[in-house]
Amino acid sequence: RFPALQREVSELTEAEEKLDELINKCSLQLRLLTEDTHNKKLGYVRCQDLRNTVNPPDQIIMVIRAPPETQMQVSEPSEGYQISLKSSKGPIDVFLCPED
Amino acid sequence: AQECRNLELEKQKRLERIRQKRAQLEELILQQIAFKNLVQRNQASEALSQSTPPPGSVIQLPFIILNTDVRTVIDCSISSDKCEYLFNFDNTFEIHDDVEILKRMGMSLGLENGTCSPENLSVATSLVPKSLEAYVT
Amino acid sequence: RSRILISIGESFGSADKFQKINEMVSSTDWSLKRRLDGGSAPKPLKRL
């Protein structure tokens, strides 16, 4: 059993290293993709797209566009819920999707 | 026997880490496909309409959305520099990020829940580098 | 009181970032509580 287990563990080690390499490659590709100027310009959705993704569609849809590392805290006070947003890298944009 | 037990433990730990890393890699591949698909869709619709959408009529990534019942009362306080917001809700709500919205829009071609048609599978494999095609399939 | 703190503003973060928040919020249905308390009708919605 011992040599068989040794062989299995070394195969798993190889498989894990291969996955690590692919994850790093994929993360880099995704970052380059989203930072590309052309893609950045075309990386948008419309209000209608958002309305089609909520059920039921006639809800209030609030869109939050925040700078990186904005802190969002959701707390459960005595009545209802409180969400606080705090940005240290510029203003946060919040708007409601129009119903129509 | 003790050494065998140690190796068996090591093997279980590695199997769990490999499972988590596979899930992480699959999520990264889904996100790459969804983003490329969104860019292609917008490019095609702009080419069709021969115009770019008026500014303010589209929502640029990254964003998050919060949806709640239409009767929810939302009290909102905003600091003058718009760097701090405080919202009070008297009803439940949901928060989703742009990746989740793209998946719901079908931009990840149903790969996230195994409902990908053969045609969409070939579209999906065309959107990722050769080294990742096997993972898409 | 439970609270959850997360960082937002980057695209393509981890998939289940908001799952815990949505579970925490949906587990205490305040509108149900308000109805049970016979609370007053909701105040007119404030616009952002």
Side-chain angles (χ1 to χ4, degrees):
Chain A
R1 238 162 62 79
F2 189 75
L5 277 170
Q6 269 183 322
R7 213 174 22 259
E8 280 185 70
V9 168
S10 72
E11 282 161 9
L12 289 174
T13 308
E14 261 175 58
E16 188 175 1
E17 281 159 6
K18 187 163 178 295
L19 273 172
D20 288 336
E21 191 191 321
L22 280 171
I23 286 171
N24 293 333
K25 193 195 286 187
C26 228
S27 303
L28 178 64
Q29 281 167 2
L30 195 55
R31 198 166 65 248
L32 295 176
L33 200 64
T34 51
E35 285 168 4
D36 169 83
T37 324
H38 173 73
N39 290 337
K40 233 180 186 144
K41 203 167 65 69
L42 286 163
Y44 59 76
V45 296
R46 300 170 190 280
C47 281
Q48 194 48 50
D49 290 325
L50 298 183
R51 207 151 278 293
N52 294 339
T53 64
V54 294
N55 183 27
D58 66 337
Q59 296 188 53
I60 296 174
I61 298 178
M62 187 192 286
V63 181
I64 300 172
R65 298 202 67 247
E69 293 162 40
T70 297
Q71 295 301 305
M72 168 187 263
Q73 177 171 294
V74 181
S75 50
E76 188 187 342
S78 55
E79 175 60 31
Y81 272 92
Q82 196 167 72
I83 295 182
S84 70
L85 299 174
K86 198 167 281 188
S87 156
S88 55
K89 296 195 172 175
I92 302 166
D93 272 336
V94 177
F95 52 92
L96 292 180
C97 255
E99 279 84 357
D100 53 356
Chain B
Q2 182 57 43
E3 282 174 8
C4 274
R5 266 197 297 279
N6 293 345
L7 268 183
E8 192 59 51
L9 267 179
E10 173 67 15
K11 177 182 154 188
Q12 292 312 318
K13 271 189 233 165
R14 282 193 184 276
L15 281 170
E16 176 53 23
R17 278 209 303 271
I18 284 175
R19 191 190 58 74
Q20 286 170 7
K21 287 178 178 178
R22 277 186 72 90
Q24 186 187 355
L25 179 63
E26 282 158 15
E27 179 62 24
L28 282 167
I29 293 172
L30 273 187
Q31 293 179 6
Q32 190 174 135
I33 289 171
F35 183 73
K36 282 186 177 176
N37 224 349
L38 177 74
V39 167
Q40 282 185 5
R41 180 202 75 160
N42 291 338
Q43 197 158 14
S45 72
E46 285 188 16
L48 207 62
S49 60
Q50 304 277 316
S51 67
T52 55
S57 70
V58 294
I59 298 136
Q60 221 66 41
L61 268 63
F63 63 83
I64 60 175
I65 76 156
L66 183 151
N67 55 285
T68 182
D69 185 278
V70 71
R71 288 157 302 172
T72 302
V73 176
I74 306 172
D75 285 328
C76 172
S77 322
I78 310 175
S79 64
S80 52
D81 61 0
K82 288 180 61 178
C83 287
E84 288 192 52
Y85 284 71
L86 189 62
F87 298 101
N88 279 298
F89 294 79
D90 75 341
N91 198 346
T92 54
F93 54 79
E94 284 178 3
I95 304 181
H96 298 291
D97 64 3
D98 39 21
V99 175
E100 175 62 24
I101 296 303
L102 293 189
K103 288 177 185 173
R104 291 186 180 188
M105 287 167 59
M107 290 296 137
S108 47
L109 304 166
L111 287 165
E112 71 281 3
N113 50 24
T115 59
C116 185
S117 65
E119 302 75 29
N120 278 344
L121 187 58
S122 58
V123 171
T125 44
S126 69
L127 290 172
V128 296
K130 276 249 170 292
S131 57
L132 296 173
E133 275 185 17
Y135 279 90
V136 173
T137 316
Chain C
R1 301 274 178 261
S2 51
R3 66 180 57 200
I4 297 178
L5 182 63
I6 57 171
S7 173
I8 61 172
E10 290 90 6
S11 236
F12 303 106
S14 61
D16 56 359
K17 195 154 51 169
F18 297 103
Q19 201 167 332
K20 283 193 285 293
I21 293 178
N22 292 330
E23 282 162 7
M24 176 177 90
V25 170
S26 58
S27 64
T28 342
D29 184 347
W30 296 101
S31 56
L32 177 66
K33 276 193 172 177
R34 192 177 64 208
R35 273 203 296 277
L36 292 180
D37 300 347
S40 59
K43 293 165 277 183
L45 182 66
K46 291 188 177 179
R47 292 277 168 212
L48 277 184

PDB file of all heavy atoms in Angstrom, chain B residues 38-63:
ATOM      1  N   LEU B  38     -20.219  39.249 -24.214  1.00  0.00           N
ATOM      2  CA  LEU B  38     -20.876  40.563 -24.044  1.00  0.00           C
ATOM      3  C   LEU B  38     -20.270  41.587 -25.005  1.00  0.00           C
ATOM      4  O   LEU B  38     -20.990  42.313 -25.712  1.00  0.00           O
ATOM      5  CB  LEU B  38     -20.699  41.053 -22.598  1.00  0.00           C
ATOM      6  CG  LEU B  38     -21.267  42.440 -22.304  1.00  0.00           C
ATOM      7  CD1 LEU B  38     -22.792  42.384 -22.224  1.00  0.00           C
ATOM      8  CD2 LEU B  38     -20.666  43.016 -21.010  1.00  0.00           C
ATOM      9  N   VAL B  39     -18.945  41.600 -25.100  1.00  0.00           N
ATOM     10  CA  VAL B  39     -18.254  42.548 -25.998  1.00  0.00           C
ATOM     11  C   VAL B  39     -18.683  42.289 -27.437  1.00  0.00           C
ATOM     12  O   VAL B  39     -19.030  43.218 -28.185  1.00  0.00           O
ATOM     13  CB  VAL B  39     -16.725  42.418 -25.835  1.00  0.00           C
ATOM     14  CG1 VAL B  39     -15.978  43.121 -26.948  1.00  0.00           C
ATOM     15  CG2 VAL B  39     -16.296  42.965 -24.470  1.00  0.00           C
ATOM     16  N   GLN B  40     -18.742  41.006 -27.822  1.00  0.00           N
ATOM     17  CA  GLN B  40     -19.136  40.672 -29.204  1.00  0.00           C
ATOM     18  C   GLN B  40     -20.583  41.088 -29.459  1.00  0.00           C
ATOM     19  O   GLN B  40     -20.915  41.645 -30.508  1.00  0.00           O
ATOM     20  CB  GLN B  40     -18.973  39.164 -29.445  1.00  0.00           C
ATOM     21  CG  GLN B  40     -17.522  38.758 -29.679  1.00  0.00           C
ATOM     22  CD  GLN B  40     -17.380  37.279 -30.027  1.00  0.00           C
ATOM     23  OE1 GLN B  40     -18.374  36.559 -30.190  1.00  0.00           O
ATOM     24  NE2 GLN B  40     -16.150  36.808 -30.133  1.00  0.00           N
ATOM     25  N   ARG B  41     -21.456  40.873 -28.467  1.00  0.00           N
ATOM     26  CA  ARG B  41     -22.873  41.243 -28.656  1.00  0.00           C
ATOM     27  C   ARG B  41     -22.994  42.743 -28.861  1.00  0.00           C
ATOM     28  O   ARG B  41     -23.677  43.217 -29.770  1.00  0.00           O
ATOM     29  CB  ARG B  41     -23.695  40.832 -27.422  1.00  0.00           C
ATOM     30  CG  ARG B  41     -25.167  41.181 -27.545  1.00  0.00           C
ATOM     31  CD  ARG B  41     -25.897  41.286 -26.237  1.00  0.00           C
ATOM     32  NE  ARG B  41     -25.587  42.508 -25.487  1.00  0.00           N
ATOM     33  CZ  ARG B  41     -26.385  42.986 -24.518  1.00  0.00           C
ATOM     34  NH1 ARG B  41     -27.495  42.356 -24.211  1.00  0.00           N
ATOM     35  NH2 ARG B  41     -26.062  44.081 -23.863  1.00  0.00           N
ATOM     36  N   ASN B  42     -22.300  43.503 -28.020  1.00  0.00           N
ATOM     37  CA  ASN B  42     -22.411  44.972 -28.118  1.00  0.00           C
ATOM     38  C   ASN B  42     -21.803  45.472 -29.423  1.00  0.00           C
ATOM     39  O   ASN B  42     -22.321  46.387 -30.060  1.00  0.00           O
ATOM     40  CB  ASN B  42     -21.740  45.621 -26.908  1.00  0.00           C
ATOM     41  CG  ASN B  42     -22.520  45.347 -25.623  1.00  0.00           C
ATOM     42  OD1 ASN B  42     -23.713  45.043 -25.655  1.00  0.00           O
ATOM     43  ND2 ASN B  42     -21.852  45.414 -24.492  1.00  0.00           N
ATOM     44  N   GLN B  43     -20.692  44.832 -29.803  1.00  0.00           N
ATOM     45  CA  GLN B  43     -20.025  45.241 -31.056  1.00  0.00           C
ATOM     46  C   GLN B  43     -20.991  45.024 -32.234  1.00  0.00           C
ATOM     47  O   GLN B  43     -21.180  45.910 -33.073  1.00  0.00           O
ATOM     48  CB  GLN B  43     -18.786  44.365 -31.251  1.00  0.00           C
ATOM     49  CG  GLN B  43     -17.790  44.920 -32.246  1.00  0.00           C
ATOM     50  CD  GLN B  43     -16.398  44.320 -31.999  1.00  0.00           C
ATOM     51  OE1 GLN B  43     -16.253  43.324 -31.280  1.00  0.00           O
ATOM     52  NE2 GLN B  43     -15.381  44.921 -32.571  1.00  0.00           N
ATOM     53  N   ALA B  44     -21.648  43.860 -32.230  1.00  0.00           N
ATOM     54  CA  ALA B  44     -22.572  43.520 -33.333  1.00  0.00           C
ATOM     55  C   ALA B  44     -23.752  44.495 -33.334  1.00  0.00           C
ATOM     56  O   ALA B  44     -24.140  45.024 -34.391  1.00  0.00           O
ATOM     57  CB  ALA B  44     -23.063  42.088 -33.159  1.00  0.00           C
ATOM     58  N   SER B  45     -24.275  44.827 -32.153  1.00  0.00           N
ATOM     59  CA  SER B  45     -25.459  45.710 -32.149  1.00  0.00           C
ATOM     60  C   SER B  45     -25.062  47.130 -32.527  1.00  0.00           C
ATOM     61  O   SER B  45     -25.822  47.855 -33.159  1.00  0.00           O
ATOM     62  CB  SER B  45     -26.168  45.663 -30.787  1.00  0.00           C
ATOM     63  OG  SER B  45     -25.414  46.336 -29.832  1.00  0.00           O
ATOM     64  N   GLU B  46     -23.851  47.545 -32.168  1.00  0.00           N
ATOM     65  CA  GLU B  46     -23.418  48.895 -32.586  1.00  0.00           C
ATOM     66  C   GLU B  46     -23.188  48.941 -34.095  1.00  0.00           C
ATOM     67  O   GLU B  46     -23.525  49.913 -34.761  1.00  0.00           O
ATOM     68  CB  GLU B  46     -22.139  49.283 -31.847  1.00  0.00           C
ATOM     69  CG  GLU B  46     -22.378  49.653 -30.389  1.00  0.00           C
ATOM     70  CD  GLU B  46     -21.140  50.219 -29.702  1.00  0.00           C
ATOM     71  OE1 GLU B  46     -20.176  50.620 -30.394  1.00  0.00           O
ATOM     72  OE2 GLU B  46     -21.130  50.255 -28.466  1.00  0.00           O
ATOM     73  N   ALA B  47     -22.654  47.817 -34.639  1.00  0.00           N
ATOM     74  CA  ALA B  47     -22.420  47.775 -36.100  1.00  0.00           C
ATOM     75  C   ALA B  47     -23.774  47.831 -36.818  1.00  0.00           C
ATOM     76  O   ALA B  47     -23.955  48.539 -37.808  1.00  0.00           O
ATOM     77  CB  ALA B  47     -21.679  46.491 -36.447  1.00  0.00           C
ATOM     78  N   LEU B  48     -24.762  47.128 -36.236  1.00  0.00           N
ATOM     79  CA  LEU B  48     -26.104  47.073 -36.867  1.00  0.00           C
ATOM     80  C   LEU B  48     -26.749  48.455 -36.862  1.00  0.00           C
ATOM     81  O   LEU B  48     -27.302  48.931 -37.842  1.00  0.00           O
ATOM     82  CB  LEU B  48     -26.966  46.090 -36.058  1.00  0.00           C
ATOM     83  CG  LEU B  48     -28.110  45.378 -36.812  1.00  0.00           C
ATOM     84  CD1 LEU B  48     -27.557  44.535 -37.935  1.00  0.00           C
ATOM     85  CD2 LEU B  48     -28.893  44.508 -35.819  1.00  0.00           C
ATOM     86  N   SER B  49     -26.638  49.125 -35.701  1.00  0.00           N
ATOM     87  CA  SER B  49     -27.327  50.432 -35.581  1.00  0.00           C
ATOM     88  C   SER B  49     -26.416  51.562 -36.072  1.00  0.00           C
ATOM     89  O   SER B  49     -26.801  52.725 -36.039  1.00  0.00           O
ATOM     90  CB  SER B  49     -27.689  50.679 -34.106  1.00  0.00           C
ATOM     91  OG  SER B  49     -26.488  50.688 -33.351  1.00  0.00           O
ATOM     92  N   GLN B  50     -25.206  51.191 -36.497  1.00  0.00           N
ATOM     93  CA  GLN B  50     -24.266  52.211 -37.015  1.00  0.00           C
ATOM     94  C   GLN B  50     -24.072  53.357 -36.032  1.00  0.00           C
ATOM     95  O   GLN B  50     -23.882  54.506 -36.411  1.00  0.00           O
ATOM     96  CB  GLN B  50     -24.830  52.826 -38.338  1.00  0.00           C
ATOM     97  CG  GLN B  50     -25.140  51.818 -39.419  1.00  0.00           C
ATOM     98  CD  GLN B  50     -23.871  51.451 -40.211  1.00  0.00           C
ATOM     99  OE1 GLN B  50     -23.103  52.336 -40.565  1.00  0.00           O
ATOM    100  NE2 GLN B  50     -23.656  50.175 -40.410  1.00  0.00           N
ATOM    101  N   SER B  51     -24.228  53.068 -34.746  1.00  0.00           N
ATOM    102  CA  SER B  51     -24.019  54.161 -33.769  1.00  0.00           C
ATOM    103  C   SER B  51     -23.685  53.563 -32.410  1.00  0.00           C
ATOM    104  O   SER B  51     -24.014  52.413 -32.124  1.00  0.00           O
ATOM    105  CB  SER B  51     -25.312  54.982 -33.630  1.00  0.00           C
ATOM    106  OG  SER B  51     -26.282  54.139 -33.017  1.00  0.00           O
ATOM    107  N   THR B  52     -23.010  54.398 -31.611  1.00  0.00           N
ATOM    108  CA  THR B  52     -22.751  53.943 -30.233  1.00  0.00           C
ATOM    109  C   THR B  52     -23.901  54.451 -29.353  1.00  0.00           C
ATOM    110  O   THR B  52     -24.490  55.493 -29.642  1.00  0.00           O
ATOM    111  CB  THR B  52     -21.426  54.548 -29.719  1.00  0.00           C
ATOM    112  OG1 THR B  52     -21.528  55.966 -29.872  1.00  0.00           O
ATOM    113  CG2 THR B  52     -20.246  54.011 -30.521  1.00  0.00           C
ATOM    114  N   PRO B  53     -24.239  53.712 -28.306  1.00  0.00           N
ATOM    115  CA  PRO B  53     -25.366  54.108 -27.452  1.00  0.00           C
ATOM    116  C   PRO B  53     -25.092  55.461 -26.796  1.00  0.00           C
ATOM    117  O   PRO B  53     -23.939  55.748 -26.458  1.00  0.00           O
ATOM    118  CB  PRO B  53     -25.451  52.992 -26.420  1.00  0.00           C
ATOM    119  CG  PRO B  53     -24.169  52.260 -26.468  1.00  0.00           C
ATOM    120  CD  PRO B  53     -23.574  52.503 -27.806  1.00  0.00           C
ATOM    121  N   PRO B  54     -26.129  56.290 -26.637  1.00  0.00           N
ATOM    122  CA  PRO B  54     -25.925  57.605 -26.015  1.00  0.00           C
ATOM    123  C   PRO B  54     -25.347  57.446 -24.608  1.00  0.00           C
ATOM    124  O   PRO B  54     -25.708  56.497 -23.900  1.00  0.00           O
ATOM    125  CB  PRO B  54     -27.329  58.194 -25.970  1.00  0.00           C
ATOM    126  CG  PRO B  54     -28.276  57.098 -26.258  1.00  0.00           C
ATOM    127  CD  PRO B  54     -27.525  56.017 -26.965  1.00  0.00           C
ATOM    128  N   PRO B  55     -24.400  58.316 -24.225  1.00  0.00           N
ATOM    129  CA  PRO B  55     -23.802  58.174 -22.887  1.00  0.00           C
ATOM    130  C   PRO B  55     -24.903  58.258 -21.821  1.00  0.00           C
ATOM    131  O   PRO B  55     -25.878  58.977 -21.988  1.00  0.00           O
ATOM    132  CB  PRO B  55     -22.846  59.371 -22.780  1.00  0.00           C
ATOM    133  CG  PRO B  55     -23.162  60.261 -23.918  1.00  0.00           C
ATOM    134  CD  PRO B  55     -23.872  59.461 -24.956  1.00  0.00           C
ATOM    135  N   GLY B  56     -24.753  57.475 -20.773  1.00  0.00           N
ATOM    136  CA  GLY B  56     -25.765  57.492 -19.704  1.00  0.00           C
ATOM    137  C   GLY B  56     -26.867  56.497 -19.958  1.00  0.00           C
ATOM    138  O   GLY B  56     -27.702  56.227 -19.107  1.00  0.00           O
ATOM    139  N   SER B  57     -26.884  55.894 -21.185  1.00  0.00           N
ATOM    140  CA  SER B  57     -27.971  54.915 -21.409  1.00  0.00           C
ATOM    141  C   SER B  57     -27.464  53.494 -21.202  1.00  0.00           C
ATOM    142  O   SER B  57     -28.214  52.533 -21.337  1.00  0.00           O
ATOM    143  CB  SER B  57     -28.483  55.032 -22.845  1.00  0.00           C
ATOM    144  OG  SER B  57     -27.481  54.534 -23.716  1.00  0.00           O
ATOM    145  N   VAL B  58     -26.150  53.361 -20.923  1.00  0.00           N
ATOM    146  CA  VAL B  58     -25.625  52.012 -20.670  1.00  0.00           C
ATOM    147  C   VAL B  58     -24.862  52.020 -19.345  1.00  0.00           C
ATOM    148  O   VAL B  58     -24.488  53.073 -18.828  1.00  0.00           O
ATOM    149  CB  VAL B  58     -24.684  51.541 -21.808  1.00  0.00           C
ATOM    150  CG1 VAL B  58     -25.438  51.371 -23.106  1.00  0.00           C
ATOM    151  CG2 VAL B  58     -23.496  52.473 -21.953  1.00  0.00           C
ATOM    152  N   ILE B  59     -24.691  50.833 -18.805  1.00  0.00           N
ATOM    153  CA  ILE B  59     -23.989  50.699 -17.526  1.00  0.00           C
ATOM    154  C   ILE B  59     -22.691  49.953 -17.768  1.00  0.00           C
ATOM    155  O   ILE B  59     -22.693  48.779 -18.152  1.00  0.00           O
ATOM    156  CB  ILE B  59     -24.859  49.924 -16.518  1.00  0.00           C
ATOM    157  CG1 ILE B  59     -26.160  50.697 -16.236  1.00  0.00           C
ATOM    158  CG2 ILE B  59     -24.096  49.663 -15.220  1.00  0.00           C
ATOM    159  CD1 ILE B  59     -27.365  49.838 -16.214  1.00  0.00           C
ATOM    160  N   GLN B  60     -21.602  50.671 -17.595  1.00  0.00           N
ATOM    161  CA  GLN B  60     -20.271  50.103 -17.845  1.00  0.00           C
ATOM    162  C   GLN B  60     -19.907  49.129 -16.729  1.00  0.00           C
ATOM    163  O   GLN B  60     -20.232  49.349 -15.562  1.00  0.00           O
ATOM    164  CB  GLN B  60     -19.269  51.257 -17.863  1.00  0.00           C
ATOM    165  CG  GLN B  60     -18.196  51.179 -18.930  1.00  0.00           C
ATOM    166  CD  GLN B  60     -18.695  51.305 -20.356  1.00  0.00           C
ATOM    167  OE1 GLN B  60     -19.558  52.116 -20.650  1.00  0.00           O
ATOM    168  NE2 GLN B  60     -18.161  50.464 -21.219  1.00  0.00           N
ATOM    169  N   LEU B  61     -19.241  48.018 -17.074  1.00  0.00           N
ATOM    170  CA  LEU B  61     -18.682  47.127 -16.040  1.00  0.00           C
ATOM    171  C   LEU B  61     -17.526  47.875 -15.388  1.00  0.00           C
ATOM    172  O   LEU B  61     -16.891  48.722 -16.045  1.00  0.00           O
ATOM    173  CB  LEU B  61     -18.163  45.830 -16.703  1.00  0.00           C
ATOM    174  CG  LEU B  61     -19.143  44.654 -16.797  1.00  0.00           C
ATOM    175  CD1 LEU B  61     -20.328  45.006 -17.659  1.00  0.00           C
ATOM    176  CD2 LEU B  61     -18.443  43.424 -17.339  1.00  0.00           C
ATOM    177  N   PRO B  62     -17.097  47.613 -14.139  1.00  0.00           N
ATOM    178  CA  PRO B  62     -17.759  46.758 -13.163  1.00  0.00           C
ATOM    179  C   PRO B  62     -18.897  47.484 -12.459  1.00  0.00           C
ATOM    180  O   PRO B  62     -18.855  48.705 -12.298  1.00  0.00           O
ATOM    181  CB  PRO B  62     -16.628  46.430 -12.190  1.00  0.00           C
ATOM    182  CG  PRO B  62     -15.754  47.639 -12.198  1.00  0.00           C
ATOM    183  CD  PRO B  62     -15.827  48.176 -13.598  1.00  0.00           C
ATOM    184  N   PHE B  63     -19.891  46.754 -12.076  1.00  0.00           N
ATOM    185  CA  PHE B  63     -21.019  47.308 -11.317  1.00  0.00           C
ATOM    186  C   PHE B  63     -21.580  46.196 -10.437  1.00  0.00           C
ATOM    187  O   PHE B  63     -21.281  45.013 -10.623  1.00  0.00           O
ATOM    188  CB  PHE B  63     -22.117  47.834 -12.250  1.00  0.00           C
ATOM    189  CG  PHE B  63     -22.757  46.774 -13.102  1.00  0.00           C
ATOM    190  CD1 PHE B  63     -23.789  45.975 -12.626  1.00  0.00           C
ATOM    191  CD2 PHE B  63     -22.289  46.548 -14.403  1.00  0.00           C
ATOM    192  CE1 PHE B  63     -24.351  44.982 -13.412  1.00  0.00           C
ATOM    193  CE2 PHE B  63     -22.852  45.556 -15.195  1.00  0.00           C
ATOM    194  CZ  PHE B  63     -23.877  44.770 -14.706  1.00  0.00           C
TER     195      PHE B  63
END
